Amino acid sequence: MTLSEIIQYGPSLLEGFFITITLGILSFIIAVALGLGSALLSFSSLRSLRFISKAYTTIIRGIPDIVLIFLLFFGLQTLLNELTDLMGLSPIFLNPFVSGIITIGLIFGAFISETFRGALMAVPKGQFESCIALGMSKTHFYRRVIFPQAMRFALPGLSNNWLVMLKTTALVSLIGLHDLVFIANNAGKATRMTFDFYMVTAVGFLVLTTLSILLIKFLERHYSTGFTNEVSSL
């Protein structure tokens, strides 16, 4: 009867599975954008911009993920209520999905910032000097020369952050998002088969992480092109 119960909840579980994937991908895009921006600010000649980058990474990394999720979900809702009252507008209600994307992206942006910072520092200084000597603009040499090399150093850190972030998405179920964990939890309570449905959830996350690892290995080969050949020829 266990299998029949799981099959009965199959469509709901599949829907939650895709919500989890979407949440993870969108959060990661925000995290990479924030992380790269923060890393670039940390190299700025302006002290105020360096301070913003340092404050962001220090504060976010020092607060537990679950606290930030609750703080931003309920705090942003309160702020939106006050703003709409002041402006005389209709209330705006925060969607748990949108709130989850913003929060997880904000959290992992701080960790990815350090990953990018270390990767940019790993690129030989001669590359920067050569680009300046050739008269290349900052935007051009970062996009065509520095960033491709930095990605080779950043990829291990980015892949670890992605895998951890994918599992962190489960916390968003605590604010009511109908993701895989939320649906499995409700189905387990309704059928008194909590263990079975959590096993399905565990398998679902294992599938996601396995596919992610395969993609990461492909990207590692792509960004190592030329470097591995050079090493093997020595």
Side-chain angles (χ1 to χ4, degrees):
M1 311 314 149
T2 301
L3 186 58
S4 63
E5 293 283 357
I6 292 173
I7 292 172
Q8 182 183 346
Y9 280 91
S12 297
L13 290 168
L14 193 61
E15 183 182 349
F17 182 76
F18 283 113
I19 288 174
T20 297
I21 295 173
T22 308
L23 177 66
I25 291 172
L26 294 178
S27 299
F28 190 67
I29 291 170
I30 291 174
V32 168
L34 287 173
L36 183 57
S38 177
L40 292 174
L41 286 182
S42 69
F43 291 105
S44 174
S45 57
L46 297 175
R47 188 175 179 181
S48 57
L49 295 181
R50 295 199 305 272
F51 174 78
I52 291 170
S53 174
K54 186 66 176 176
Y56 166 58
T57 55
T58 302
I59 292 170
I60 296 298
R61 290 191 300 165
I63 302 173
D65 296 352
I66 188 64
V67 174
L68 278 171
I69 287 172
F70 284 137
L71 188 64
L72 288 177
F73 180 66
F74 295 109
L76 281 177
Q77 184 62 68
T78 303
L79 182 62
L80 283 172
N81 290 342
E82 290 178 357
L83 287 174
T84 50
D85 284 344
L86 280 173
M87 299 172 70
L89 301 173
S90 301
I92 300 172
F93 297 102
L94 258 186
N95 187 314
F97 182 74
V98 174
S99 180
I101 291 171
I102 294 170
T103 308
I104 293 176
L106 195 65
I107 291 168
F108 282 88
F111 292 97
I112 288 174
S113 172
E114 294 301 308
T115 299
F116 275 127
R117 187 170 180 275
L120 289 168
M121 290 176 69
V123 176
K125 288 185 178 180
Q127 299 286 339
F128 292 88
E129 294 166 359
S130 299
C131 291
I132 293 169
L134 289 170
M136 296 173 69
S137 66
K138 264 191 174 183
T139 304
H140 190 63
F141 81 67
Y142 264 106
R143 184 170 58 88
R144 298 297 300 272
V145 180
I146 305 303
F147 186 70
Q149 292 184 73
M151 274 300 296
R152 186 169 64 93
F153 298 110
L155 201 54
L158 288 175
S159 61
N160 287 335
N161 277 299
W162 161 253
L163 293 175
V164 174
M165 193 196 70
L166 196 58
K167 293 181 285 186
T168 303
T169 58
L171 294 176
V172 186
S173 64
L174 296 174
I175 58 173
L177 180 66
H178 290 203
D179 66 339
L180 182 59
V181 175
F182 184 92
I183 292 169
N185 183 51
N186 285 352
K189 288 177 180 178
T191 58
R192 296 183 181 178
M193 293 164 51
T194 305
F195 176 79
D196 301 88
F197 278 100
Y198 274 123
M199 278 300 296
V200 172
T201 303
V203 170
F205 275 98
L206 188 59
V207 168
L208 284 177
T209 52
T210 302
L211 292 174
S212 297
I213 289 168
L214 292 174
L215 178 60
I216 289 162
K217 286 184 177 179
F218 167 77
L219 291 173
E220 285 177 346
R221 287 195 299 270
H222 173 73
Y223 282 104
S224 295
T225 302
F227 293 95
T228 51
N229 292 339
E230 183 182 341
V231 173
S232 62
S233 63
L234 292 178

